[in-house]
């Protein structure tokens, strides 16, 4: 019962922090949620409930990575695979080595393997934090795709490096050959397992749909369970569950593009996923805030471990590590951009130099979050001989501090760096009007061809009248989106369609009000009222979406 109460309090905190955020201008929602979580923990005697990192990694990370991967444009991943993999693999290794030696130099009391472990767990950027921070900041499209792709893939690299660094700290031995081979087995195995699961589930769903029809609730619930299935299957086979969840999301979007699922399942599924993402993302930041009082309460032990003079030294320590991570990220991005330019010159292609502000923005956009928090909390409490794990409290304190500093710096610096930034973007096909005109043509041809379709259960005597009415609607749409009409005629057709939608919305809302009145007066059954209201809600959603566009 205590766990259920904690879950309800957590969700309530997400709701209240979301309402409070609307009253605060200019502050990103994650920072409001972190502050709310800290206040919530302090009101309970400055101690928060211990966060189980294994449960945290399983319950929160797979569905969020799965949802982000499902939405990620595959064409952009194909176009930007080189910078994404360069950041997700090379930058992590560069950060582990550079930051590991820097932390060892900065805090001599930390053993080198522990310094590498801390650097490894700090190396992955967090897709949830990146998306939340950049949601309030206009980011160039290509830069956003690179950041999201990097955040989806670099978790496995960082966590594998973290695992080997911890093993070196515990056993005192390390093999670069073993680490490299294990990484490729873990990464490739996770990707393959994650890719297979959506295909297998899709085949099973199609079989049952042919036998007994489709069930919306089952389809939506199956989609919700896929990231957990991919994660558990990969972890059971000692592969990367995180990469399995990412691969499952990417492959599911491909499977959905080549399947003909019901419109109702897609509508409900998208609504459910939006709710799940909002709840889990908010819970992550509230939980992160709840850890702050406990970590701060242990600062004296951290000061003693690190042989520092006082609390201000801890602040400088965290700031120094955060700045070192930003500097290493900038150096790597600049080197990668230079190498890309040299490759283009060797091929005889025109060199496109990335603006300096863009590279600095990429450096500050490397926000740390849930993966870093969950990873550092998995540090063992003791060595095999029973002695305490060296500098564990210091590593947790620094990791928590870097998460907060990276969030705050991104909020403060990114809007300034990205203001009026001119970037040559690759043109993406977003011709809405041309696409709509093409869809109308396809629909009209299909309606005309339906005259010969003997499987349609339509009375031939009414077919002509019905098809004529539908054709008139599509012809008005065709006029509104035709690129061949005069601008004046096209504008009139669009105004006419907009007026029709507005009047239709008025009618739909009046219908729903009357339905609710009839239901309250018990002049209509609950079942009939619910069915009719759902139909009107779907129609209003469609009309409102078009009107909002």
């Amino acid at each position: 019962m205590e766990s259920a109460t904690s879950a309800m309090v957590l969700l309530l905190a997400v709701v209240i922090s979301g309402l409070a955020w609307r009253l605060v201008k200019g502050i990103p929602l994650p920072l409001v949620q972190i502050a709310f979580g800290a206040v919530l923990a302090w009101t309970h005697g400055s101690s928060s409930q211990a966060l189980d990192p294994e449960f945290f990694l399983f319950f929160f990370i797979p569905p969020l990575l799965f949802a982000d991967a499902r939405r990620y444009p595959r064409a952009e991943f194909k176009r930007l695979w080189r910078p994404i993999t360069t950041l997700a693999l090379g930058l992590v290794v560069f950060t582990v080595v550079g930051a590991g030696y820097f932390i060892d130099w900065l805090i001599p009391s930390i053993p080198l393997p522990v310094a590498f472990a801390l650097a490894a767990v700090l190396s992955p950027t967090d897709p949830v934090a990146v998306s939340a921070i950049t949601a309030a900041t206009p980011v160039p499209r290509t830069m956003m795709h690179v950041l999201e792709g990097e955040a989806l893939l670099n978790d496995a690299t960082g966590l594998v490096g973290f695992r080997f660094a911890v093993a070196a700290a515990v056993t005192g031995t390390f093999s670069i050959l073993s680490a490299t081979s294990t990484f490729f087995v873990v990464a490739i195995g996770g990707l393959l397992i994650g890719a297979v699961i959506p295909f297998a589930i899709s085949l099973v769903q199609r079989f049952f749909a042919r036998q007994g029809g489709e069930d919306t609730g089952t389809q939506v619930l199956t989609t919700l369970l896929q990231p957990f299935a991919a994660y558990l299957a990969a972890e059971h086979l000692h592969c990367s569950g995180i990469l399995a969840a990412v691969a499952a999301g990417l492959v599911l979007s491909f499977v959905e593009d080549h399947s003909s699922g019901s419109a109702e399942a897609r509508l409900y599924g998208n609504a459910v996923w939006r709710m799940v993402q909002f709840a889990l993302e908010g819970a992550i930041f509230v939980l992160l805030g709840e850890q702050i009082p406990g970590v701060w309460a242990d600062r004296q032990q951290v000061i003693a471990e690190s042989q520092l003079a006082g609390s201000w030294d801890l602040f400088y320590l965290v700031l120094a590590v955060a700045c070192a991570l930003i500097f290493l990220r900038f150096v790597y991005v600049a080197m990668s951009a230079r190498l890309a330019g040299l490759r283009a010159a060797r091929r005889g292609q025109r060199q496109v130099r990335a603006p300096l502000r863009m590279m600095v923005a990429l450096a500050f956009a490397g926000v740390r979050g849930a993966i870093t928090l969950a990873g550092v909390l998995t540090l063992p409490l003791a060595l095999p001989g029973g002695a305490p794990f060296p500098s564990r409290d210091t590593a947790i304190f620094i990791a928590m501090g870097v998460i907060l500093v990276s969030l705050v710096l991104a909020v403060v610096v990114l809007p300034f760096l990205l203001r009026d930034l001119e970037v040559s973007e690759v043109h993406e096909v977003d011709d809405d009007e041309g696409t709509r005109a093409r869809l109308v043509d396809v629909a009209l041809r299909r309606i005309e061809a339906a005259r010969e379709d003997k499987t349609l259960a339509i009375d031939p005597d009414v077919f002509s009248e019905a098809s004529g009415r539908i054709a008139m609607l599509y012809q008005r749409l065709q006029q509104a989106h035709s690129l061949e009409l005069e601008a004046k005629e096209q504008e009139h057709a669009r105004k006419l369609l907009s007026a029709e939608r507005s009047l239709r919305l008025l009618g739909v809302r009046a219908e729903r009000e009357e339905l609710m009145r009839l239901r309250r007066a018990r002049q209509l059954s609950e079942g009939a009222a619910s069915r009719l209201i759902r139909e009107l809600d779907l129609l209003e959603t469609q009309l409102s979406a078009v009107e909002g566009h």
Side-chain angles (χ1 to χ4, degrees):
M1 191 64 185
E2 184 178 350
S3 299
T5 303
S6 300
M8 291 301 102
V9 170
L10 183 61
L11 292 177
L12 182 61
V14 173
V15 172
I16 296 175
S17 61
L19 295 174
W21 170 67
R22 295 183 179 277
L23 303 177
V24 182
K25 305 297 182 182
I27 300 179
L29 179 58
L31 291 183
V32 176
Q33 290 168 332
I34 289 172
F36 198 88
V39 171
L40 189 65
W42 261 309
T43 57
H44 287 77
S46 71
S47 64
S48 58
Q49 288 197 358
L51 183 65
D52 182 351
E54 297 294 337
F55 175 79
F56 185 83
L57 275 175
F58 168 71
F59 188 78
F60 287 93
I61 304 305
L64 289 175
L65 290 179
F66 177 87
D68 286 336
R70 187 182 171 207
R71 291 198 320 268
Y72 193 87
R74 296 190 306 277
E76 289 304 296
F77 187 83
K78 184 177 180 181
R79 181 173 71 88
L80 299 169
W81 70 270
R82 191 184 296 275
I84 289 174
T85 53
T86 297
L87 292 173
L89 299 176
L91 177 57
V92 171
V93 176
F94 185 75
T95 301
V96 170
V97 175
Y101 279 114
F102 176 77
I103 292 170
D104 181 64
W105 169 80
L106 186 66
I107 317 171
S109 61
I110 293 185
L112 186 59
V114 179
F116 280 132
L118 177 57
V121 84
L122 288 172
S123 59
T125 55
D126 188 82
V128 178
V130 169
S131 299
I133 291 297
T134 54
T137 304
V139 179
R141 184 177 298 183
T142 298
M143 177 179 169
M144 191 66 239
H145 289 326
V146 170
L147 287 172
E148 289 177 340
E150 173 202 3
L152 286 173
L153 298 180
N154 62 10
D155 300 326
T157 314
L159 291 180
V160 169
F162 172 74
R163 183 187 305 173
F164 275 95
V166 171
V170 171
T171 64
T173 60
F174 175 75
S175 168
I176 186 65
L177 181 62
S178 174
T180 304
S181 60
T182 300
F183 168 75
F184 281 107
V185 170
V186 165
I188 295 173
L191 290 172
L192 289 176
I193 293 168
V196 166
I197 284 178
F199 278 117
I201 292 176
S202 177
L203 291 175
V204 174
Q205 285 180 322
R206 288 179 187 177
F207 171 78
F208 281 103
R210 286 194 299 268
Q211 301 300 318
E214 293 182 339
D215 178 68
T216 300
T218 302
Q219 287 182 325
V220 174
L221 184 58
T222 301
T223 305
L224 285 174
L225 293 175
Q226 285 194 38
F228 300 106
Y231 182 89
L232 288 174
E235 290 293 322
H236 180 71
L237 297 174
H238 305 290
C239 296
S240 173
I242 290 175
L243 279 182
V246 171
L250 290 171
V251 171
L252 181 63
S253 67
F254 174 82
V255 171
E256 290 175 335
D257 286 348
H258 293 79
S259 65
S260 54
S262 67
E264 187 179 32
R266 284 192 295 274
L267 285 171
Y268 279 116
N270 290 333
V272 169
W273 270 110
R274 281 197 298 270
M275 183 273 294
V276 168
Q277 279 192 272
F278 174 77
L280 292 183
E281 288 177 1
I284 280 178
F285 290 112
V286 172
L287 283 172
L288 196 155
E290 282 190 334
Q291 306 308 304
I292 293 175
V295 172
W296 181 249
D298 294 335
R299 67 186 183 280
Q300 294 301 330
Q301 186 170 347
V302 175
I303 291 171
E305 271 187 356
S306 306
Q307 301 174 5
L308 301 175
S311 298
W312 278 107
D313 286 349
L314 279 177
F315 172 76
Y316 297 137
L317 192 67
V318 169
L319 189 61
V321 174
C323 290
L325 292 172
I326 293 171
F327 175 74
L328 289 170
R329 187 175 174 87
F330 171 76
V331 170
Y332 189 87
V333 168
M335 290 191 307
S336 299
R338 179 60 179 163
L339 290 175
L342 293 176
R343 282 196 301 268
R346 280 201 302 268
R347 299 192 192 105
Q349 300 172 344
R350 184 174 67 90
Q351 296 187 47
V352 180
R353 294 192 175 183
L356 179 62
R357 272 203 291 157
M358 168 72 83
M359 293 189 289
V360 176
L362 278 169
F364 277 93
V367 182
R368 274 69 185 177
I371 297 294
T372 294
L373 175 65
V376 77
L377 289 175
T378 62
L379 284 171
L381 294 172
L383 297 174
F389 189 87
S391 303
R392 185 179 188 272
D393 292 326
T394 302
I396 292 174
F397 190 96
I398 292 175
M400 177 68 74
V402 168
I403 292 171
L404 297 175
V405 170
S406 68
L407 285 168
V408 173
L409 287 178
V411 169
V412 174
V413 176
L414 280 181
F416 171 76
L417 290 173
L418 297 174
R419 185 182 304 150
D420 302 324
L421 181 63
E422 295 183 4
V423 181
S424 58
E425 296 279 5
V426 175
H427 176 68
E428 295 184 7
V429 181
D430 283 335
D431 183 11
D432 288 4
E433 299 304 324
T435 303
R436 284 175 175 155
R438 180 178 178 180
L439 294 176
V440 170
D441 288 338
V442 170
L444 285 171
R445 289 198 299 270
R446 180 64 61 84
I447 291 170
E448 184 62 30
R451 294 180 184 274
E452 310 299 328
D453 191 349
K454 304 300 182 183
T455 62
L456 284 175
I458 299 178
D459 189 334
D461 295 333
V462 300
F463 180 87
S464 295
E465 183 180 354
S467 63
R469 290 185 179 183
I470 297 297
M472 286 177 61
L473 171 62
Y474 274 114
Q475 284 163 3
R476 291 201 299 274
L477 289 169
Q478 194 174 43
Q479 290 176 347
H481 303 307
S482 174
L483 302 179
E484 298 176 359
L485 291 178
E486 295 289 337
K488 188 175 181 180
E489 295 177 347
Q490 192 181 63
E491 182 62 24
H492 175 73
R494 289 180 180 176
K495 286 182 178 179
L496 182 61
L497 270 181
S498 179
E500 287 179 356
R501 291 187 187 112
S502 298
L503 293 174
R504 190 73 182 96
L505 274 171
L506 285 175
V508 166
R509 288 164 183 166
E511 289 180 63
R512 185 169 52 244
E513 289 174 4
E514 179 63 12
L515 277 173
M516 291 181 174
R517 188 193 68 78
L518 292 173
R519 185 170 64 179
R520 288 195 301 270
R522 299 185 182 276
Q523 296 176 358
L524 188 66
S525 70
E526 288 286 340
S530 297
R531 286 193 301 272
L532 292 171
I533 288 173
R534 185 178 66 177
E535 290 177 10
L536 293 176
D537 288 344
L538 290 173
L539 181 56
E540 182 178 2
T541 300
Q542 178 192 14
L543 292 169
S544 300
V546 175
E547 197 71 18
H549 174 82

